[in-house]
Amino acid sequence: MEAGVTLPSPLPSITEPYTPIHGEPWSPPPLIVSNRRLSIDEPRKPTHSHWFISAPGKVILFGEHAVVHGVTAIGASVDLRCYALASHRDDGEISLHLPDLNNWEHSWDIESLPWDAVTPTRVGEDHGPLLDPRLMDAIATRALPDSVHLPQYARAKAAVTAFLYVYMILRQDGKPKPSFSFVTRSTLPIGAGLGSSASYSACVAAVNLIFAKRTSLTEPVRKRLNSEAAISYTVKHDGRRAIPNEVAEEVNKWAFIAEKVMHGNPSGVDNTVSVHGGAIAYKRAVNGSKGGMDGLHGFRSVKFLLTDSKVPRDTKRLVANVGIRLKEDPTRGADVLDAIQAISIEGFRCLSDPEIPRETLLSGLSKLIRQNHAFLKELGASHISLEEICELTDEFGLCTKLTGAGGGGCAVTLIPDDFYDDSLRILTDKLVEAGYQPYLTTVGGSGLGVNPVVGNPTPLEKEELKEAFVKEPRMNLAKWAEQQGGWLYV
């Protein structure tokens, strides 16, 4: 079982082709759709017809695998994101474009969708704990295009199904069905255990709620647009903490539904971290024990190097194998679980203590990371590729552990504040030479982000904006999105 985490912070500028994604080179200025200035007494309102949305991925810092057996896990957001652009259409169709999944794309005539299988969820009602099997079957047999069954689009099938399910279940009787296009890009490696599906689910939920006019998510945007013309801000917040948690929870509920469509029985950790950002402690209810999630307050930005081993994971098999090892030697297994629980609790205390000196914090986290990985290795969750990554980073005096299911996937390395940029460059070059892909990021930062495209762009301008979004190089995407301006975050 995995959890999630995110944090944004300034990172070293590294411009080689295979450097960490957050060290993007210069990119051209953003496409300006409208630069019309409003007078102070003219109310400024978003058009609500064109939106950028983004949501972070997550990383498990402590407690993976052991969380399945009732141990606390610590997850946090990572400053690698899924980005989405949604634009109103006037042709009675909806479209989905997934450039990162072999450029999958399809449009549906809205009235051709199997609406007879939909039992709408009324405004103010929650979805309920179970997916609607009738709607799921109707989407699978009557709405999915044949292309999703092709081998090259195997990953797209779940994403398409989740998009259609949320779109249709949010239908309101007697009101027009929204017509819009939806395009997503991601700086997250897909299928590497960093919450790429949860960040996509958060974007799907937010866009559908906005176009169905079933969220107060647009209210912070309206307030910002109106206030911008009236005051001059003296403190630069970059949109952080502009969206209240109670508004974000509206999106989180539906992001969880999208996650259910894609994964069956998710814990809810990944989507919660993706929407709310920051970090959380999660404990699963096992053998009558109480479970739940707690946010980490006072969490401070910490730099990490995420390294994708590029080795595919088999989460179910790995979880099963760990369970077998625990049963083979229950006494030692109990000791290991107790040790990981102690590591998670100490990690929670360190990360949530605003008074602990920074140097003490980073030194303590490094030791906990090394210890946690040793226990995960003993449980059989590591892999030869992950061990090589640990050895390469150990040469630079850094501590690394696997994250998520292990057996491949990603490793996380804590980067101290005083670690030299030149040393980081040399390390990332060595990792790339060994066949791995490093990403420099921070954990525990902002969650869901929204950004309305102000003005009334022409069809040509909309197409130009979409084309710029789709064609922007992946390593430049985060900077390109930031340059669009006007982002508000949870």
Side-chain angles (χ1 to χ4, degrees):
M1 190 69 64
E2 299 177 1
V5 181
T6 95
L7 299 173
S9 80
L11 304 173
S13 176
I14 303 173
T15 58
E16 283 78 16
Y18 287 95
T19 50
I21 273 192
H22 213 71
E24 310 93 336
W26 178 89
S27 61
L31 175 68
I32 299 176
V33 176
S34 173
N35 59 1
R36 184 175 72 90
R37 302 300 299 173
L38 300 177
S39 63
I40 288 181
D41 56 359
E42 178 185 3
R44 185 176 185 180
K45 299 179 180 178
T47 62
H48 301 310
S49 57
H50 314 287
W51 291 80
F52 279 115
I53 308 289
S54 80
K58 69 89 178 70
V59 65
I60 302 179
L61 296 179
F62 304 109
E64 53 269 89
H65 277 292
V67 71
V68 177
H69 304 278
V71 169
T72 301
I74 308 296
S77 58
V78 294
D79 198 20
L80 299 171
R81 289 177 166 261
C82 176
Y83 296 89
L85 172 62
S87 301
H88 172 73
R89 299 176 63 140
D90 295 311
D91 57 3
E93 293 191 350
I94 57 166
S95 63
L96 177 61
H97 187 189
L98 306 172
D100 297 331
L101 296 180
N102 287 320
N103 206 34
W104 189 92
E105 186 172 13
H106 189 78
S107 295
W108 293 265
D109 180 293
I110 292 173
E111 295 305 324
S112 71
L113 294 172
W115 295 105
D116 58 299
V118 178
T119 302
T121 303
R122 295 183 177 86
V123 176
E125 288 185 350
D126 289 336
H127 177 279
L130 301 177
L131 297 176
D132 185 338
R134 186 163 171 250
L135 178 56
M136 287 291 290
D137 181 69
I139 291 173
T141 58
R142 296 158 55 191
L144 291 182
D146 292 339
S147 60
V148 299
H149 302 295
L150 297 175
Q152 64 267 37
Y153 297 127
R155 289 186 183 274
K157 184 177 180 180
V160 177
T161 303
F163 172 75
L164 289 174
Y165 186 94
V166 175
Y167 173 77
M168 296 181 72
I169 205 75
L170 286 174
R171 183 196 79 183
Q172 297 185 61
D173 289 329
K175 294 192 176 183
K177 304 177 184 74
S179 176
F180 60 92
S181 62
F182 184 61
V183 189
T184 67
R185 298 282 312 279
S186 183
T187 58
L188 285 156
I190 297 172
L194 296 180
S196 58
S197 68
S199 60
Y200 169 80
S201 294
C203 290
V204 165
V207 164
N208 275 290
L209 286 166
I210 288 171
F211 278 85
K213 298 181 179 179
R214 290 186 58 161
T215 178
S216 54
L217 185 62
T218 55
E219 185 62 15
V221 174
R222 184 192 65 79
K223 289 181 178 179
R224 176 182 64 80
L225 293 177
N226 283 339
S227 65
E228 271 184 354
I231 69 171
S232 175
Y233 292 104
T234 57
V235 180
K236 183 175 175 61
H237 298 282
D238 294 326
R240 294 186 296 274
R241 302 186 182 277
I243 300 174
N245 282 327
E246 59 270 20
V247 175
E249 191 54 30
E250 299 172 4
V251 179
N252 191 34
K253 290 178 182 178
W254 289 99
F256 185 46
I257 298 304
E259 278 283 88
K260 281 189 173 185
V261 173
M262 289 195 283
H263 297 299
N265 186 30
S267 67
V269 171
D270 288 17
N271 54 277
T272 298
V273 171
S274 192
V275 172
H276 288 280
I280 64 171
Y282 168 70
K283 186 173 183 179
R284 188 176 184 180
V286 175
N287 297 326
S289 65
K290 185 179 180 181
M293 300 185 207
D294 290 311
L296 273 71
H297 305 290
F299 192 96
R300 288 174 285 172
S301 173
V302 181
K303 282 193 294 188
F304 279 87
L305 191 69
L306 297 175
T307 304
D308 185 359
S309 70
K310 300 184 181 180
V311 176
R313 303 167 305 129
D314 185 340
T315 301
K316 290 182 179 179
R317 179 181 61 80
L318 287 161
V319 170
N321 287 345
V322 168
I324 291 172
R325 287 212 177 191
L326 292 173
K327 290 180 180 178
E328 288 176 345
D329 189 347
T331 301
R332 178 55 185 166
D335 289 342
V336 169
L337 292 179
D338 287 344
I340 294 177
Q341 174 69 18
I343 288 170
S344 293
I345 291 174
E346 185 60 24
F348 183 97
R349 292 174 59 193
C350 288
L351 292 167
S352 58
D353 184 353
E355 297 182 9
I356 187 172
R358 179 76 175 179
E359 185 176 347
T360 303
L361 169 67
L362 297 180
S363 174
L365 289 177
S366 294
K367 293 176 183 177
L368 293 174
I369 285 171
R370 190 183 298 277
Q371 292 169 0
N372 198 172
H373 181 78
F375 287 120
L376 289 169
K377 181 180 178 181
E378 183 177 346
L379 291 176
S382 191
H383 185 272
I384 187 173
S385 63
L386 297 172
E387 293 306 310
E388 183 178 21
I389 294 170
C390 288
E391 291 172 4
L392 287 170
T393 57
D394 186 60
E395 293 175 8
F396 291 79
L398 302 176
C399 296
T400 299
K401 66 179 284 292
L402 67 86
T403 182
C410 287
V412 293
T413 304
L414 189 146
I415 305 297
D417 296 338
D418 58 357
F419 193 69
Y420 292 116
D421 291 356
D422 287 345
S423 297
L424 182 61
R425 189 189 304 274
I426 295 170
L427 171 58
T428 56
D429 285 346
K430 284 194 170 187
L431 289 168
V432 170
E433 289 171 6
Y436 307 121
Q437 177 60 67
Y439 302 84
L440 184 61
T441 185
T442 49
V443 301
S446 297
L448 180 75
V450 299
N451 178 11
V453 178
V454 179
N456 188 25
T458 66
L460 177 59
E461 288 173 326
K462 287 194 294 183
E463 191 57 35
E464 289 175 343
L465 182 61
K466 176 183 175 182
E467 183 176 357
F469 176 59
V470 170
K471 290 188 175 181
E472 188 67 27
R474 184 170 176 239
M475 67 185 302
N476 295 349
L477 187 59
K479 180 174 286 187
W480 183 90
E482 288 175 11
Q483 288 175 332
Q484 302 309 307
W487 285 94
L488 297 177
Y489 296 98
V490 176

